[in-house]
Amino acid sequence: QVQLQQWGAGLLKPSETLSLTCTVYGGSFSGYYWSWVRQPPGKGLEWIGEINHSGSTYYSPSLKSRVTVSADTSKNQFSLKLISVTAADTAVYYCARAPLVGSTRRSYDYWGQGTLVTVSS
Amino acid sequence: DIQLTQSPSSLSASVGDRVTITCRASQDIDIYLAWFQQKPGKAPKSLIYAASSLHSGVPSNFSGNGYGTDFTLTIRSLQPEDFATYYCQQYNTYPLTFGPGTRVDIK
């Protein structure tokens, strides 16, 4: 049974760096895209970025200057780093997995449990 | 960026009703459209990928259709556990984008 378990600091001050890690249990790390999605309180889902099986990264243009997604395949983990956070970055952050089938990326099949990150002075 | 619109934004329905939600893309996305269900305080649940393929374990009560720019999610007979918010997402082109969601609640 595949599980994505995520963790990281839940309370940050403005200008600090958000760091979250997602560990993959029960499945291979290769052959997938590993994504981060966030959801501000009471609002919809927003795609942040992802890393693929070969280490290529893709980011939302609105966050690209502040975000880094990386992976540690030896630990079956991938991470999100968002610098210079503001109150607008307050959201529940989710990690998610998207399979690569042949040369075609599918959509997400497994999600992490979500982490509420609050940015407040 | 590819914009996704969903209609309606919310609807009220009864158990047993047939419900259809529409997702429209601002550009051709082929079949690369997914649907997710989300209940309050929970992570999204993946329902459909490639416009019409059900994820493992998703009841056949759900179905998806469409190609290009116009897509639908249909719940054939609404069950009590289906009351939730539904999102579409395109994964044809970066940046990936989500629709604004459709809330389905009890009439």
Side-chain angles (χ1 to χ4, degrees), chain A residues 37-79:
Chain A
V37 172
R38 71 180 182 179
Q39 185 171 37
K43 297 190 177 180
L45 300 169
E46 179 186 14
W47 181 76
I48 298 170
E50 64 188 29
I51 187 167
N52 72 6
H53 57 291
S54 56
S56 297
T57 52
Y58 308 86
Y59 299 123
S60 167
S62 65
L63 297 170
K64 187 173 184 177
S65 63
R66 298 193 292 130
V67 69
T68 303
V69 177
S70 59
D72 184 340
T73 57
S74 67
K75 296 181 179 179
N76 271 22
Q77 291 177 344
F78 63 108
S79 299

Side-chain angles (χ1 to χ4, degrees), chain B residues 50-68:
Chain B
S52 61
S53 296
L54 261 62
H55 276 288
S56 175
V58 174
S60 58
N61 198 32
F62 289 90
S63 64
N65 207 347
Y67 175 85

Side-chain angles (χ1 to χ4, degrees), chain A residues 33 35 37 39 43-47 50 58-61 94 99 104-114, chain B residues 1 32-36 38 41-46 48-50 55 87 89 91 94-100:
Chain A
Y33 283 64
S35 261
V37 172
Q39 185 171 37
K43 297 190 177 180
L45 300 169
E46 179 186 14
W47 181 76
E50 64 188 29
Y58 308 86
Y59 299 123
S60 167
Y94 295 102
T104 302
R105 180 195 184 282
R106 285 188 182 172
S107 77
Y108 306 125
D109 56 1
Y110 287 96
W111 294 72
Q113 77 275 20
Chain B
D1 299 5
Y32 299 108
L33 192 284
W35 290 96
F36 304 96
Q38 188 179 35
K42 300 294 186 182
K45 174 185 176 183
S46 301
I48 288 172
Y49 65 95
H55 276 288
Y87 294 94
Q89 185 205 31
Y91 56 102
Y94 288 109
L96 308 189
T97 47
F98 288 91

Side-chain angles (χ1 to χ4, degrees), chain B residues 2-65:
Chain B
I2 294 176
Q3 309 300 318
L4 297 179
T5 57
Q6 288 183 235
S7 59
S9 57
S10 65
L11 66 91
S12 295
S14 301
V15 173
D17 283 353
R18 180 185 180 94
V19 168
T20 297
I21 299 168
T22 297
C23 179
R24 178 162 291 171
S26 60
Q27 300 174 37
D28 186 340
I29 58 170
D30 200 303
I31 61 167
Y32 299 108
L33 192 284
W35 290 96
F36 304 96
Q37 176 195 67
Q38 188 179 35
K39 297 181 180 179
K42 300 294 186 182
K45 174 185 176 183
S46 301
L47 297 177
I48 288 172
Y49 65 95
S52 61
S53 296
L54 261 62
H55 276 288
S56 175
V58 174
S60 58
N61 198 32
F62 289 90
S63 64
N65 207 347

